[in-house]
């Protein structure tokens, strides 16, 4: 009897769009580096099955780029032929935003990187080469090798023209055009399962009731926020959007693996399964998942099976193996690709050896971000994933499977009476609420929402379209990412832009209502 393995690759970006412009370029750049690559790579290994979570707010932004309805500052500056001193400083600050090893691969790019460090004055020719290399280096290296236009530009190396840059940007759009059709093709062929998340990636338990965070952190100071109707709408919009492009989703990834009893009524009858982290399972069962000195689960039957939820009988839940997921996310990047892949497969064999042979087959769930881990891997993770998929393709004792395919043949045997409220980060919700800056953001969201409710009561019947746009901004501001960045443990050189984007969504609500922007929203949240 085989051991089943479910990969769940989570694809997500915050909703950067403000007034038709993306405040940061990461949707576009990860599209040409990761979203297409992960699907193309899997297609090369037809025996490998996987589940992909495609967050609606990410897909909407990809579509908007293709329709030409949004741009981003990186893209706008790339298209210029001459740059002001201020724009030149922006390029020098932001257009080396790749891992240094990736920059070193290309001699001219590395030369420019060194010149920047030395304070060399860049001419427009140097800046154009920088623009060209930044946009080239973000592209999946397989495309740089196989595409004749891109390969010739890489070989050219320097002295790029405005037409060369336009050719690079056109190729980026060509790659983005292939993303959704390829996932559709893989879904139709049965190789992947595609699932969704609430539309703008909010922490569902906090939308239902912010005080739910106290189950894991009883002393946490949280501002009041209780709008289960918003959580329900985020789910409704996600399901509606997903089914316009793909098959009806059977599964849903709760953002950040954040679950709890309070969200079950919103999910029951909408999807057939969700997923979270092994620590949530342990807390729900009142036990611990113990591991030996090599990271192997001592009592593997607990973790490696799906569960039913007593208070939502139609809903199954699977729990990720945190140790194996984190090895891909944070450990194997420093290993030779072949050794890393072999180590993971060896861990899977040890799991199978410790599981009983009788009874239904067990399921190991490996769940992590599908775009973020690969920046520090050799060649964007391609050698590691290819070796891993190749090894698994030859396995008889370990078989990859989509979660819904497993559940279709093997119903859960155990129930969870009470689902603990927490996330895949420390089994709590402290990453998104509880600190002064986080709480202030929740208070600003609540004040803005209350103002919209009052405006809606008085004026909305006469302006349904404006009301809808204002609510969209509220839902976008409920996304988890803004509160994540307000956590003191998380830092980014783009904090100011992220801060501005969150407040920008709220400011748009006041603008749409024709109400003056309150003073408290004009200053960054500290």
């Amino acid at each position: 009897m085989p051991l089943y393995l479910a990969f769940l690759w989570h694809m997500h970006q915050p909703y950067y769009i403000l007034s038709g412009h993306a405040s940061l370029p990461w949707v576009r750049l990860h599209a040409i580096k990761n979203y297409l690559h992960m699907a193309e790579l899997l297609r090369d290994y037809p025996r490998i099955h996987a589940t992909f979570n495609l967050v609606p707010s990410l897909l909407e932004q990809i579509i908007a780029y293709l329709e030409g309805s949004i741009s981003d500052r990186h893209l706008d500056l790339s298209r210029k032929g001459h740059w002001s001193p201020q724009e030149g400083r922006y390029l020098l600050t932001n257009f080396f935003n790749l891992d240094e090893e990736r920059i070193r691969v290309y001699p001219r790019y590395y030369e420019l990187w060194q010149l920047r460090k030395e304070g060399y004055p860049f001419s427009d020719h140097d800046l154009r080469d920088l623009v060209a290399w930044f946009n080239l280096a973000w592209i999946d290296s397989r495309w740089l090798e196989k595409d004749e236009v891109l390969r010739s530009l890489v070989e050219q190396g320097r002295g790029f023209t405005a037409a060369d840059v336009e050719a690079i940007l056109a190729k980026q759009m060509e790659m983005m055009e292939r993303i959704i059709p390829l996932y559709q093709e893989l879904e139709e062929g049965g190789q992947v399962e595609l699932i969704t998340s609430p539309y703008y990636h909010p922490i569902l338990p906090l939308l239902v009731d912010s005080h739910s965070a106290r189950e894991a952190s009883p002393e946490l100071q949280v501002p009041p926020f209780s709008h289960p109707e918003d959580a329900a709408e985020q789910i409704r919009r996600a399901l509606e959007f997903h089914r316009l492009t793909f098959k009806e989703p059977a599964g849903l990834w709760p953002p950040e693996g954040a679950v709890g009893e309070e969200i079950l009524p919103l999910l029951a009858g909408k999807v057939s399964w969700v997923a979270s982290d092994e620590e949530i399972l342990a807390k729900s069962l009142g036990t611990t998942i113990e591991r030996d000195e090599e990271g192997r689960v001592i009592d593997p039957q607990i973790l490696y099976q799906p569960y039913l939820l007593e208070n939502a009988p139609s809903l199954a839940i699977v729990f990720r193996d945190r140790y194996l997921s984190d090895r891909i996310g944070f450990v194997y990047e420093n290993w030779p690709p072949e050794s890393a892949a072999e180590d993971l497969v060896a861990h899977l064999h040890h799991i199978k050896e410790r599981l009983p042979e009788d009874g239904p087959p067990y399921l190991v769930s490996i769940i992590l971000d599908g775009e973020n881990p690969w920046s520090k891997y050799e060649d964007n993770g391609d050698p590691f994933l290819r070796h891993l998929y190749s090894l698994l393709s030859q396995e008889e004792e370990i078989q990859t499977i989509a979660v819904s395919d497993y559940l279709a043949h093997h119903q859960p045997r155990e129930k969870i009476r009470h689902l603990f409220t927490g996330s895949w980060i420390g089994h709590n919700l402290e990453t998104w609420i509880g600190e002064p800056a986080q709480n202030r953001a929740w208070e600003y969201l609540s004040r803005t929402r209350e103002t919209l409710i009052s405006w809606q009561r008085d004026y909305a019947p006469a302006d349904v379209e404006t009301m809808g746009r204002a609510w969209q901004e509220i839902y976008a501001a409920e996304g988890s990412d803004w509160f994540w960045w307000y956590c003191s443990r998380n830092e980014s050189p783009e904090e100011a832009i992220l801060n501005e984007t969150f407040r920008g969504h709220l400011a748009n609500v006041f603008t749409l209502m024709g109400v003056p922007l309150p003073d408290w929203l004009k200053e960054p949240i500290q």
Side-chain angles (χ1 to χ4, degrees):
M1 183 179 301
L3 173 68
Y4 284 105
L5 170 63
F7 286 111
L8 197 167
W9 301 113
H10 170 56
M11 306 298 206
H12 162 63
Q13 289 292 328
Y15 193 72
Y16 296 114
I17 301 176
L18 285 173
S19 303
H21 201 265
S23 58
L24 287 167
W26 305 127
V27 168
R28 174 173 60 91
L29 297 179
H30 279 288
I32 60 177
K33 178 176 177 286
N34 301 117
Y35 303 133
L36 182 60
H37 174 247
M38 290 293 285
E40 288 185 329
L41 191 154
L42 190 74
R43 182 180 56 187
D44 291 343
Y45 297 88
R47 290 196 64 187
I48 302 301
H49 297 259
T51 301
F52 284 90
N53 177 49
L54 303 176
V55 178
S57 56
L58 166 66
L59 294 173
E60 180 188 325
Q61 291 176 90
I62 290 174
I63 292 168
Y65 271 107
L66 295 176
E67 292 176 343
S69 58
I70 65 167
S71 184
D72 59 71
R73 191 176 184 193
H74 288 59
L75 184 57
D76 295 340
L77 289 178
S78 295
R79 288 187 161 131
K80 296 193 72 170
H82 173 74
W83 297 271
S84 69
Q86 181 182 10
E87 291 169 339
R89 288 192 293 272
Y90 185 91
L91 296 178
L92 291 173
T93 300
N94 294 282
F95 276 49
F96 291 101
N97 200 333
L98 284 95
D99 187 75
E100 181 182 337
E101 292 305 312
R102 181 67 172 163
I103 294 174
R104 285 177 178 269
V105 170
Y106 305 109
R108 174 57 171 161
Y109 201 10
Y110 185 54
E111 175 189 352
L112 293 169
W113 184 75
Q114 291 178 308
L115 291 173
R116 193 274 302 264
K117 287 203 304 182
E118 296 167 3
Y120 177 84
F122 275 54
S123 67
D124 275 349
H125 296 295
D126 295 323
L127 290 174
R128 187 173 293 111
D129 279 3
L130 173 59
V131 164
W133 273 115
F134 174 78
N135 283 288
L136 278 171
W138 265 95
I139 294 175
D140 172 20
S141 60
R142 303 280 81 75
W143 269 73
L144 296 182
E145 294 168 2
K146 72 182 183 181
D147 185 89
E148 184 177 345
V149 171
L150 293 173
R151 186 174 63 250
S152 66
L153 289 167
V154 170
E155 292 170 353
Q156 178 180 325
R158 63 176 62 231
F160 294 105
T161 65
D164 292 332
V165 173
E166 282 298 333
I168 297 168
L169 300 178
K171 284 295 176 182
Q172 291 184 357
M173 291 301 114
E174 179 185 333
M175 294 177 71
M176 292 180 73
E177 286 175 352
R178 298 188 180 211
I179 293 173
I180 292 175
L182 180 52
Y183 281 100
Q184 290 171 326
E185 174 189 322
L186 293 172
E187 183 183 48
E188 286 297 326
Q191 192 177 357
V192 306
E193 176 180 9
L194 301 180
I195 65 169
T196 191
S197 285
Y199 202 101
Y200 293 101
H201 202 264
I203 303 297
L204 287 178
L206 294 180
L207 293 193
V208 175
D209 184 355
S210 59
H211 292 93
S212 66
R214 290 180 176 165
E215 181 168 2
S217 311
E219 303 302 318
L220 199 67
Q221 298 299 310
V222 299
F225 192 94
S226 180
H227 294 289
E229 67 273 28
D230 286 12
E233 181 64 9
Q234 295 264 10
I235 294 168
R236 187 197 68 78
R237 290 185 178 213
L239 295 173
E240 181 181 80
F241 181 88
H242 190 94
R243 66 173 66 100
L244 290 174
T245 307
F246 306 111
K247 295 180 180 178
E248 183 79 22
L252 179 140
W253 170 250
E256 312 291 354
V259 295
E261 283 291 314
E262 52 280 318
I263 74 170
L264 298 184
L266 304 175
L267 297 172
K270 305 293 192 306
V271 292
S272 59
W273 66 269
V274 295
S276 190
D277 183 71
E278 66 176 53
E279 287 193 9
I280 301 300
L281 172 63
K283 290 291 182 180
S284 299
L285 297 178
T287 186
T288 57
I289 296 176
E290 297 181 5
R291 296 178 182 270
D292 63 21
E293 65 280 0
E294 295 182 339
R296 299 166 188 162
V297 178
I298 293 173
D299 189 5
Q301 295 98 314
I302 296 175
L303 178 58
Y304 302 125
Q305 61 171 305
Y307 287 78
L308 284 177
L309 295 157
E310 186 165 289
N311 293 322
S314 64
L315 194 63
I317 185 168
V318 299
F319 298 92
R320 74 176 190 142
D321 184 310
R322 169 178 282 196
Y323 180 82
L324 294 184
S325 301
D326 283 355
R327 285 183 82 75
I328 296 176
F330 307 108
V331 176
Y332 289 148
E333 64 188 32
N334 300 311
W335 288 37
E338 294 80 6
S339 300
E342 290 162 8
D343 180 78
L344 181 58
V345 173
H347 273 283
L348 294 168
H349 277 288
H350 284 296
I351 290 170
K352 187 175 189 308
E353 290 170 5
R354 290 191 174 188
L355 288 167
E357 287 293 332
D358 57 333
Y362 288 85
L363 176 71
V364 176
S365 298
I366 294 180
I367 306 173
L368 70 155
D369 288 351
E371 74 270 87
N372 290 328
W374 314 120
S375 62
K376 294 187 180 299
Y377 273 75
E378 178 186 330
D379 199 7
N380 197 33
D382 192 81
F384 164 72
L385 286 169
R386 287 189 181 278
H387 197 64
L388 176 62
Y389 287 170
S390 178
L391 290 175
L392 292 173
S393 295
Q394 301 167 38
E395 283 285 344
E396 295 299 331
E397 296 190 339
I398 302 166
Q399 293 183 19
T400 58
I401 194 168
V403 177
S404 288
D405 288 340
Y406 176 90
L407 292 172
H409 297 94
H410 310 288
Q411 287 297 306
R413 305 184 290 279
E414 305 288 343
K415 279 187 178 180
I416 290 176
R417 296 185 181 276
H418 176 84
L419 183 62
F420 187 83
T421 298
S423 74
W424 67 354
I425 301 179
H427 69 264
N428 59 52
L429 301 178
E430 294 177 18
T431 301
W432 303 275
I433 200 167
E435 293 186 0
Q438 296 169 317
N439 288 351
R440 196 169 299 117
W442 281 103
E443 290 165 2
Y444 286 8
L445 171 62
S446 184
R447 288 186 205 175
T448 305
R449 192 184 187 283
E450 289 168 4
T451 305
L452 177 57
I453 290 288
S454 297
W455 176 86
Q456 180 175 311
R457 183 173 54 246
D458 296 334
Y459 298 103
D463 196 347
V464 175
E465 180 182 350
T466 300
M467 178 187 69
R469 291 165 60 195
W471 276 108
Q472 179 177 324
E473 297 289 348
I474 290 289
Y475 299 139
E478 291 175 342
S480 70
D481 300 272
W482 321 119
F483 306 97
W484 194 93
W485 286 115
Y486 287 127
C487 179
S488 61
R489 298 188 300 274
N490 300 322
E491 296 180 357
S492 168
E494 297 156 344
E495 276 187 30
I497 297 175
L498 293 160
N499 193 321
E500 184 178 330
T501 304
F502 170 72
R503 290 184 298 111
H505 285 304
L506 298 182
N508 281 347
V509 177
F510 289 93
T511 300
L512 287 162
M513 292 186 297
V515 175
L517 196 65
D519 290 339
W520 48 264
L521 195 52
K522 295 176 182 178
E523 299 296 325
I525 296 173
Q526 302 293 338

